[in-house]
Amino acid sequence: MFNRRHVTSALAGIALAATAGSAFAQAPTKIRFTLDWKYQAMHSWYYLAIDKGYFAAEKLDVTVDQGEGSAATVSRIMSGAYDAGFGDINAIIQNASAKPADAPVMVYMIYNQPPFGIVLKAGSPIKTPKDLEGKKLGGPTGSATTRLFPVFAKVNGVDTGKIEILNMAPNLQEQMLVQDQVQGSLIFTATSYMNFVGMKLDPDKDFRWMTFGDYGVDVYSNGVMVSQKMLRENPEAVRGLVKAVNRALMDAVANPDAAIDALMKREPLLNRDVEKRRLIFAFRELMLTKEAAEIGFGDVKDDRMARAISMVGEAYGLTALPAASAVFNRSFLPPRSERAVKVFTN
């Protein structure tokens, strides 16, 4: 027979087990998140989401690590080292063609306009894409901009056989243009823009920008992607991740200084003024576009996505083209009212 002590002990044990079970049930989901590059302004909203408790509110424990390139984001997720990340949808398209069961899926588009383009000196005689014929351009052989250049040329009726492209290291692109070793550089706009600032040059007055998106190569670019494993096994975590990022990004648009504050906490050696200018550039040129204002931030247009997949397939010689639904999944987006933005006019 149980005496009172036994009953009390048993009840205490049941209560302890219930408490432990409740705590286990409420434990936050850990997400390993990789960026596309080293600390920059375009990463600030992820840290803002941490500091404001937006991830925690969704019961997520998100660890954000620096990256090694947009394509590397995809590789890191495919390897299983990371659950999610910020990277280029064009790299997803390439991998979804070859390894459809392993490629991550983008769930929130951020760079509505691609950062691919050609930068020219302000006084250059090159005024149209056709004027590139007979000129020497520079760009890293493996960069997305260089790889997509033949598509840019085809769309604009440019004969690539009449253009010399010099392979160069990414950190030399601006210098070689300034030194007239090339007449144009195949660049990532947000990176080159601030590199010129660092060289004490004015990227708006001293140079002209021939961006691919303005000349018919309307591919998308960077956004939040997740592994297929995470999509299958924890869709609510995906939904929470997207919701938190969206909240932080809306905050960053409303208050860029707060976003830069969050970034500077992680890397105090960054130049605050440079990073704020980089953030404003990204808002203006890559993110807060007419299309984003029309459909809401984070989404894409299906017909444009289909065209983009075809262009990427041509650029990279893909033997099979993935369906748009295989590379972008909009079902985790917050309501349109929570993603409403205006065209950035600053």
Side-chain angles (χ1 to χ4, degrees):
M1 295 180 63
F2 285 109
N3 59 26
R4 180 176 295 175
R5 180 182 298 173
H6 289 143
V7 172
T8 301
S9 177
L11 290 174
I14 293 172
L16 181 62
T19 301
S22 176
F24 180 79
Q26 295 176 7
T29 299
K30 293 184 179 296
I31 296 178
R32 299 160 298 178
F33 191 97
T34 176
L35 300 173
D36 62 329
W37 196 240
K38 312 307 177 186
Y39 292 122
Q40 282 190 346
M42 289 84 79
H43 307 140
S44 59
W45 45 81
Y46 302 111
Y47 298 112
L48 195 61
I50 293 174
D51 293 349
K52 288 201 167 190
Y54 292 164
F55 290 135
E58 302 302 323
K59 296 182 174 59
L60 302 177
D61 179 7
V62 181
T63 302
V64 180
D65 291 337
Q66 296 187 74
E68 299 177 343
S70 290
T73 297
V74 175
S75 300
R76 285 179 164 192
I77 295 173
M78 290 177 68
S79 73
Y82 289 86
D83 309 296
F86 176 61
D88 186 18
I89 197 167
N90 301 301
I92 293 180
I93 293 169
Q94 296 170 58
N95 283 279
S97 172
K99 299 179 179 179
D102 301 321
V105 179
M106 188 166 287
V107 290
Y108 187 83
M109 178 60 65
I110 293 180
Y111 288 177
N112 181 271
Q113 283 296 309
F116 316 126
I118 303 168
V119 63
L120 313 157
K121 283 188 170 182
S124 171
I126 301 171
K127 306 297 183 184
T128 69
K130 192 71 174 174
D131 296 334
L132 294 168
E133 294 180 359
K135 305 298 191 298
K136 180 190 292 186
L137 305 180
T141 301
S143 79
T145 307
T146 304
R147 295 289 296 274
L148 283 169
F149 178 70
V151 177
F152 169 87
K154 181 178 180 180
V155 169
N156 292 282
V158 176
D159 185 351
T160 57
K162 297 179 180 179
I163 299 173
E164 179 184 355
I165 297 182
L166 178 66
N167 180 31
M168 62 174 64
N171 62 331
L172 297 179
Q173 288 184 270
E174 295 79 23
Q175 296 178 36
M176 293 184 72
L177 175 63
V178 170
Q179 296 169 3
D180 294 319
Q181 296 183 52
V182 294
Q183 284 75 59
S185 284
L186 299 161
I187 46 78
F188 290 89
T189 54
T191 300
S192 281
Y193 188 91
M194 297 315 303
N195 285 348
F196 286 130
V197 171
M199 296 168 68
K200 309 301 182 184
L201 298 169
D202 189 328
D204 295 314
K205 295 181 179 179
D206 298 334
F207 301 92
R208 288 187 288 107
W209 305 80
M210 193 175 287
T211 56
F212 284 13
D214 290 335
Y215 287 88
V217 186
D218 56 345
V219 296
Y220 289 101
S221 187
N222 281 32
V224 175
M225 59 183 74
V226 300
S227 69
Q228 292 195 39
K229 182 176 186 291
M230 187 175 173
L231 277 177
R232 290 192 306 270
E233 297 180 2
N234 204 338
E236 284 309 304
V238 177
R239 195 176 309 281
L241 176 69
V242 173
K243 181 178 179 179
V245 170
N246 180 75
R247 287 182 69 188
L249 189 46
M250 295 300 103
D251 287 353
V253 172
N255 187 353
D257 284 309
I260 297 301
D261 285 344
L263 177 69
M264 296 301 295
K265 284 174 61 177
R266 275 71 189 185
E267 184 47 88
L269 296 180
L270 290 173
N271 184 311
R272 181 189 177 87
D273 292 338
V274 166
E275 293 308 318
K276 182 177 178 181
R277 189 169 176 181
R278 192 194 307 273
L279 184 62
I280 298 302
F281 177 89
F283 285 159
R284 183 179 72 239
E285 301 294 336
L286 307 178
M287 299 166 60
L288 302 180
T289 66
K290 290 181 180 179
E291 181 178 295
E294 176 187 347
I295 64 178
F297 208 84
D299 205 354
V300 303
K301 285 191 172 183
D302 292 336
D303 58 342
R304 180 180 166 193
M305 179 61 73
R307 291 195 305 272
I309 291 172
S310 295
M311 288 182 182
V312 173
E314 180 177 350
Y316 292 93
L318 304 182
T319 56
L321 296 182
S325 59
V327 298
F328 183 82
N329 185 334
R330 64 167 52 85
S331 64
F332 298 95
L333 292 176
R336 169 74 175 79
S337 60
E338 296 177 17
R339 299 180 291 106
V341 294
K342 296 180 179 179
V343 176
F344 194 83
T345 55
N346 189 325

mmCIF file of all heavy atoms in Angstrom, residues 59-88:
data_model
loop_
_atom_site.group_PDB
_atom_site.id
_atom_site.type_symbol
_atom_site.label_atom_id
_atom_site.label_comp_id
_atom_site.label_asym_id
_atom_site.label_seq_id
_atom_site.Cartn_x
_atom_site.Cartn_y
_atom_site.Cartn_z
ATOM 1 N N LYS A 59 9.816 30.965 -32.225
ATOM 2 C CA LYS A 59 10.401 29.770 -31.595
ATOM 3 C C LYS A 59 11.546 29.202 -32.433
ATOM 4 O O LYS A 59 11.666 27.984 -32.631
ATOM 5 C CB LYS A 59 9.326 28.701 -31.354
ATOM 6 C CG LYS A 59 8.248 29.143 -30.370
ATOM 7 C CD LYS A 59 7.237 28.049 -30.113
ATOM 8 C CE LYS A 59 6.254 28.448 -29.009
ATOM 9 N NZ LYS A 59 5.508 29.690 -29.320
ATOM 10 N N LEU A 60 12.401 30.111 -32.905
ATOM 11 C CA LEU A 60 13.561 29.735 -33.709
ATOM 12 C C LEU A 60 14.843 30.215 -33.034
ATOM 13 O O LEU A 60 14.884 31.310 -32.478
ATOM 14 C CB LEU A 60 13.477 30.352 -35.106
ATOM 15 C CG LEU A 60 12.246 30.022 -35.951
ATOM 16 C CD1 LEU A 60 12.295 30.778 -37.272
ATOM 17 C CD2 LEU A 60 12.141 28.514 -36.195
ATOM 18 N N ASP A 61 15.855 29.390 -33.096
ATOM 19 C CA ASP A 61 17.198 29.746 -32.625
ATOM 20 C C ASP A 61 18.094 29.761 -33.868
ATOM 21 O O ASP A 61 18.577 28.723 -34.311
ATOM 22 C CB ASP A 61 17.689 28.716 -31.609
ATOM 23 C CG ASP A 61 19.093 29.001 -31.101
ATOM 24 O OD1 ASP A 61 19.642 30.066 -31.441
ATOM 25 O OD2 ASP A 61 19.656 28.146 -30.378
ATOM 26 N N VAL A 62 18.284 30.953 -34.440
ATOM 27 C CA VAL A 62 18.970 31.084 -35.727
ATOM 28 C C VAL A 62 20.411 31.527 -35.524
ATOM 29 O O VAL A 62 20.674 32.557 -34.890
ATOM 30 C CB VAL A 62 18.240 32.084 -36.641
ATOM 31 C CG1 VAL A 62 18.951 32.195 -37.995
ATOM 32 C CG2 VAL A 62 16.787 31.655 -36.848
ATOM 33 N N THR A 63 21.339 30.743 -36.048
ATOM 34 C CA THR A 63 22.755 31.098 -36.052
ATOM 35 C C THR A 63 23.123 31.560 -37.451
ATOM 36 O O THR A 63 22.927 30.825 -38.424
ATOM 37 C CB THR A 63 23.631 29.889 -35.670
ATOM 38 O OG1 THR A 63 23.236 29.422 -34.374
ATOM 39 C CG2 THR A 63 25.099 30.272 -35.657
ATOM 40 N N VAL A 64 23.645 32.783 -37.567
ATOM 41 C CA VAL A 64 23.966 33.373 -38.868
ATOM 42 C C VAL A 64 25.476 33.407 -39.047
ATOM 43 O O VAL A 64 26.191 34.019 -38.246
ATOM 44 C CB VAL A 64 23.379 34.791 -38.990
ATOM 45 C CG1 VAL A 64 23.723 35.397 -40.347
ATOM 46 C CG2 VAL A 64 21.867 34.773 -38.779
ATOM 47 N N ASP A 65 25.970 32.743 -40.098
ATOM 48 C CA ASP A 65 27.405 32.716 -40.395
ATOM 49 C C ASP A 65 27.703 33.453 -41.687
ATOM 50 O O ASP A 65 26.871 33.490 -42.608
ATOM 51 C CB ASP A 65 27.889 31.268 -40.532
ATOM 52 C CG ASP A 65 27.870 30.515 -39.221
ATOM 53 O OD1 ASP A 65 27.916 31.177 -38.151
ATOM 54 O OD2 ASP A 65 27.807 29.270 -39.247
ATOM 55 N N GLN A 66 28.897 34.005 -41.781
ATOM 56 C CA GLN A 66 29.322 34.660 -43.012
ATOM 57 C C GLN A 66 29.496 33.631 -44.127
ATOM 58 O O GLN A 66 29.659 32.431 -43.872
ATOM 59 C CB GLN A 66 30.632 35.409 -42.776
ATOM 60 C CG GLN A 66 30.512 36.546 -41.787
ATOM 61 C CD GLN A 66 31.777 37.372 -41.691
ATOM 62 O OE1 GLN A 66 32.096 38.159 -42.579
ATOM 63 N NE2 GLN A 66 32.510 37.203 -40.603
ATOM 64 N N GLY A 67 29.459 34.128 -45.380
ATOM 65 C CA GLY A 67 29.503 33.224 -46.520
ATOM 66 C C GLY A 67 30.736 33.380 -47.380
ATOM 67 O O GLY A 67 31.643 34.161 -47.086
ATOM 68 N N GLU A 68 30.740 32.650 -48.481
ATOM 69 C CA GLU A 68 31.878 32.646 -49.403
ATOM 70 C C GLU A 68 31.419 32.831 -50.846
ATOM 71 O O GLU A 68 32.107 32.435 -51.778
ATOM 72 C CB GLU A 68 32.650 31.333 -49.267
ATOM 73 C CG GLU A 68 33.226 31.111 -47.873
ATOM 74 C CD GLU A 68 33.917 29.770 -47.725
ATOM 75 O OE1 GLU A 68 33.678 28.886 -48.590
ATOM 76 O OE2 GLU A 68 34.685 29.606 -46.770
ATOM 77 N N GLY A 69 30.251 33.425 -51.040
ATOM 78 C CA GLY A 69 29.715 33.634 -52.372
ATOM 79 C C GLY A 69 28.296 33.096 -52.474
ATOM 80 O O GLY A 69 27.917 32.170 -51.749
ATOM 81 N N SER A 70 27.526 33.696 -53.391
ATOM 82 C CA SER A 70 26.124 33.299 -53.534
ATOM 83 C C SER A 70 25.972 31.840 -53.945
ATOM 84 O O SER A 70 25.057 31.152 -53.500
ATOM 85 C CB SER A 70 25.448 34.201 -54.566
ATOM 86 O OG SER A 70 25.294 35.502 -54.057
ATOM 87 N N ALA A 71 26.854 31.380 -54.843
ATOM 88 C CA ALA A 71 26.787 29.983 -55.268
ATOM 89 C C ALA A 71 27.160 29.053 -54.120
ATOM 90 O O ALA A 71 26.611 27.955 -53.986
ATOM 91 C CB ALA A 71 27.700 29.755 -56.462
ATOM 92 N N ALA A 72 28.090 29.501 -53.270
ATOM 93 C CA ALA A 72 28.507 28.679 -52.132
ATOM 94 C C ALA A 72 27.381 28.485 -51.139
ATOM 95 O O ALA A 72 27.329 27.463 -50.440
ATOM 96 C CB ALA A 72 29.715 29.312 -51.450
ATOM 97 N N THR A 73 26.459 29.448 -51.070
ATOM 98 C CA THR A 73 25.297 29.283 -50.198
ATOM 99 C C THR A 73 24.527 28.025 -50.569
ATOM 100 O O THR A 73 24.145 27.229 -49.712
ATOM 101 C CB THR A 73 24.363 30.505 -50.303
ATOM 102 O OG1 THR A 73 25.046 31.664 -49.837
ATOM 103 C CG2 THR A 73 23.100 30.306 -49.477
ATOM 104 N N VAL A 74 24.314 27.840 -51.864
ATOM 105 C CA VAL A 74 23.594 26.660 -52.346
ATOM 106 C C VAL A 74 24.373 25.396 -52.010
ATOM 107 O O VAL A 74 23.805 24.402 -51.524
ATOM 108 C CB VAL A 74 23.349 26.772 -53.865
ATOM 109 C CG1 VAL A 74 22.710 25.494 -54.399
ATOM 110 C CG2 VAL A 74 22.460 27.973 -54.171
ATOM 111 N N SER A 75 25.678 25.417 -52.249
ATOM 112 C CA SER A 75 26.508 24.235 -51.966
ATOM 113 C C SER A 75 26.490 23.884 -50.486
ATOM 114 O O SER A 75 26.422 22.705 -50.113
ATOM 115 C CB SER A 75 27.950 24.491 -52.422
ATOM 116 O OG SER A 75 27.997 24.762 -53.805
ATOM 117 N N ARG A 76 26.547 24.891 -49.638
ATOM 118 C CA ARG A 76 26.547 24.653 -48.197
ATOM 119 C C ARG A 76 25.244 23.999 -47.736
ATOM 120 O O ARG A 76 25.245 23.117 -46.882
ATOM 121 C CB ARG A 76 26.754 25.973 -47.451
ATOM 122 C CG ARG A 76 28.173 26.501 -47.474
ATOM 123 C CD ARG A 76 28.289 27.831 -46.741
ATOM 124 N NE ARG A 76 29.667 28.163 -46.444
ATOM 125 C CZ ARG A 76 30.041 29.138 -45.622
ATOM 126 N NH1 ARG A 76 29.119 29.890 -45.033
ATOM 127 N NH2 ARG A 76 31.319 29.377 -45.399
ATOM 128 N N ILE A 77 24.139 24.452 -48.294
ATOM 129 C CA ILE A 77 22.850 23.874 -47.916
ATOM 130 C C ILE A 77 22.720 22.456 -48.460
ATOM 131 O O ILE A 77 22.243 21.551 -47.767
ATOM 132 C CB ILE A 77 21.699 24.767 -48.408
ATOM 133 C CG1 ILE A 77 21.739 26.118 -47.687
ATOM 134 C CG2 ILE A 77 20.346 24.096 -48.174
ATOM 135 C CD1 ILE A 77 20.755 27.137 -48.207
ATOM 136 N N MET A 78 23.155 22.244 -49.687
ATOM 137 C CA MET A 78 23.073 20.901 -50.277
ATOM 138 C C MET A 78 23.924 19.896 -49.523
ATOM 139 O O MET A 78 23.598 18.713 -49.475
ATOM 140 C CB MET A 78 23.475 20.961 -51.754
ATOM 141 C CG MET A 78 22.470 21.680 -52.637
ATOM 142 S SD MET A 78 22.993 21.830 -54.370
ATOM 143 C CE MET A 78 22.932 20.112 -54.904
ATOM 144 N N SER A 79 25.027 20.365 -48.928
ATOM 145 C CA SER A 79 25.912 19.456 -48.194
ATOM 146 C C SER A 79 25.330 19.049 -46.840
ATOM 147 O O SER A 79 25.810 18.112 -46.217
ATOM 148 C CB SER A 79 27.271 20.129 -47.964
ATOM 149 O OG SER A 79 27.164 21.152 -46.976
ATOM 150 N N GLY A 80 24.308 19.793 -46.381
ATOM 151 C CA GLY A 80 23.731 19.518 -45.077
ATOM 152 C C GLY A 80 24.364 20.317 -43.959
ATOM 153 O O GLY A 80 23.933 20.227 -42.803
ATOM 154 N N ALA A 81 25.384 21.111 -44.274
ATOM 155 C CA ALA A 81 26.046 21.916 -43.248
ATOM 156 C C ALA A 81 25.152 23.048 -42.761
ATOM 157 O O ALA A 81 25.294 23.500 -41.616
ATOM 158 C CB ALA A 81 27.355 22.479 -43.794
ATOM 159 N N TYR A 82 24.245 23.498 -43.618
ATOM 160 C CA TYR A 82 23.334 24.582 -43.267
ATOM 161 C C TYR A 82 21.911 24.218 -43.659
ATOM 162 O O TYR A 82 21.689 23.452 -44.606
ATOM 163 C CB TYR A 82 23.751 25.894 -43.935
ATOM 164 C CG TYR A 82 25.010 26.475 -43.332
ATOM 165 C CD1 TYR A 82 26.267 26.083 -43.784
ATOM 166 C CD2 TYR A 82 24.937 27.379 -42.275
ATOM 167 C CE1 TYR A 82 27.421 26.583 -43.208
ATOM 168 C CE2 TYR A 82 26.084 27.894 -41.700
ATOM 169 C CZ TYR A 82 27.328 27.495 -42.163
ATOM 170 O OH TYR A 82 28.467 27.979 -41.584
ATOM 171 N N ASP A 83 20.965 24.792 -42.937
ATOM 172 C CA ASP A 83 19.546 24.542 -43.196
ATOM 173 C C ASP A 83 18.950 25.577 -44.139
ATOM 174 O O ASP A 83 17.979 25.289 -44.850
ATOM 175 C CB ASP A 83 18.756 24.582 -41.881
ATOM 176 C CG ASP A 83 19.360 23.696 -40.822
ATOM 177 O OD1 ASP A 83 19.380 22.471 -41.037
ATOM 178 O OD2 ASP A 83 19.816 24.216 -39.786
ATOM 179 N N ALA A 84 19.511 26.774 -44.121
ATOM 180 C CA ALA A 84 18.947 27.883 -44.884
ATOM 181 C C ALA A 84 20.041 28.903 -45.142
ATOM 182 O O ALA A 84 21.135 28.830 -44.573
ATOM 183 C CB ALA A 84 17.787 28.524 -44.107
ATOM 184 N N GLY A 85 19.724 29.876 -46.015
ATOM 185 C CA GLY A 85 20.730 30.883 -46.296
ATOM 186 C C GLY A 85 20.237 31.954 -47.238
ATOM 187 O O GLY A 85 19.096 31.917 -47.726
ATOM 188 N N PHE A 86 21.118 32.909 -47.482
ATOM 189 C CA PHE A 86 20.875 34.030 -48.381
ATOM 190 C C PHE A 86 21.795 33.857 -49.578
ATOM 191 O O PHE A 86 23.016 33.876 -49.445
ATOM 192 C CB PHE A 86 21.181 35.342 -47.643
ATOM 193 C CG PHE A 86 21.063 36.583 -48.486
ATOM 194 C CD1 PHE A 86 19.860 36.929 -49.083
ATOM 195 C CD2 PHE A 86 22.152 37.434 -48.657
ATOM 196 C CE1 PHE A 86 19.746 38.092 -49.841
ATOM 197 C CE2 PHE A 86 22.048 38.598 -49.395
ATOM 198 C CZ PHE A 86 20.854 38.929 -49.991
ATOM 199 N N GLY A 87 21.203 33.620 -50.769
ATOM 200 C CA GLY A 87 22.026 33.367 -51.939
ATOM 201 C C GLY A 87 21.249 33.564 -53.227
ATOM 202 O O GLY A 87 20.105 34.049 -53.225
ATOM 203 N N ASP A 88 21.863 33.171 -54.327
ATOM 204 C CA ASP A 88 21.388 33.474 -55.673
ATOM 205 C C ASP A 88 20.482 32.378 -56.223
ATOM 206 O O ASP A 88 20.861 31.207 -56.270
ATOM 207 C CB ASP A 88 22.600 33.661 -56.585
ATOM 208 C CG ASP A 88 22.241 34.120 -57.977
ATOM 209 O OD1 ASP A 88 21.119 34.622 -58.176
ATOM 210 O OD2 ASP A 88 23.086 33.989 -58.880
#
